[in-house]
Amino acid sequence: MEHFARRRPEQLRGLVLTGASASTRGAWATPYRWVAGLVPRIPADRPTRWNDRLPLRHYPPDVVEATIRSGYAFHTLPVAWGEILGRFDAGAMRQVAAPALILNGEKDSLFRSGEADFARAHRPARVELIPRAGHPANFDAPDASTDAVRRFARQLTAGR
């Protein structure tokens, strides 16, 4: 995000951070580094089975079936997490000129831990919470999550 925002600001009309307003710097990133290192060493069907079962334990099938059907790209995890772990924090928001929506589940205490810092770093940013939702707010409250993104997108197009 930061690199794109800096290199192509004219192409970034708006930014939605959903469940992603926590710093990736510091000790809390250690377990994520461990998982990223482990993923290439285990057969791909194991994390797939786990990812298929876990959402079905917590959500109705109609909420998660499309995600399960589309599959997972676990092979990209080490590279993707390597790009952000230890490098992403609220300071990245200073590179963003476009309007931003920081959208989090109300109960997502871990991934919204830097929410206020992210909003302060990008004064035009708007923070919106999805009531009673956790980290996967789009699963916990799909209509509310979709409505929030649509409202933000409409504001962007209205300001053209």
Side-chain angles (χ1 to χ4, degrees), residues 58 79 97 106 116 150:
H58 299 283
V79 173
E106 176 185 39
R150 281 186 180 142

Side-chain angles (χ1 to χ4, degrees), residues 119-134:
R120 273 193 298 277
H122 185 65
R123 286 294 178 188
R126 187 175 87 232
V127 175
E128 189 167 336
L129 298 179
I130 304 298
R132 298 172 304 284

Side-chain angles (χ1 to χ4, degrees), residues 3-149:
H3 299 291
F4 185 81
R6 198 171 341 116
R7 292 187 182 138
R8 306 261 189 213
E10 73 284 355
Q11 291 182 3
L12 186 61
R13 299 254 330 175
L15 174 69
V16 177
L17 291 180
T18 182
S21 53
S23 174
T24 66
R25 298 177 189 258
W28 85 269
T30 302
Y32 292 92
R33 289 184 199 285
W34 182 80
V35 169
L38 181 65
V39 165
R41 297 183 178 133
I42 59 176
D45 65 318
R46 284 189 188 160
T48 297
R49 283 194 316 262
W50 183 78
N51 260 27
D52 286 351
R53 285 186 207 136
L54 186 64
L56 287 169
R57 288 184 186 157
H58 299 283
Y59 303 102
D62 63 313
V63 172
V64 296
E65 282 175 343
T67 298
I68 291 170
R69 261 194 325 273
S70 66
Y72 314 99
F74 291 112
H75 65 283
T76 66
L77 199 68
V79 173
W81 282 5
E83 285 293 315
I84 63 164
L85 290 174
R87 297 172 49 182
F88 182 72
D89 63 11
M93 293 299 288
R94 291 187 188 96
Q95 304 296 323
V96 178
L101 170 63
I102 299 170
L103 181 64
N104 290 313
E106 176 185 39
K107 295 179 181 179
D108 184 8
S109 57
L110 178 61
F111 289 97
R112 62 178 281 227
S113 61
E115 179 179 87
D117 295 333
F118 277 66
R120 273 193 298 277
H122 185 65
R123 286 294 178 188
R126 187 175 87 232
V127 175
E128 189 167 336
L129 298 179
I130 304 298
R132 298 172 304 284
H135 179 59
N138 58 319
F139 284 178
D140 289 341
D143 292 339
S145 296
T146 300
D147 289 347
V149 173

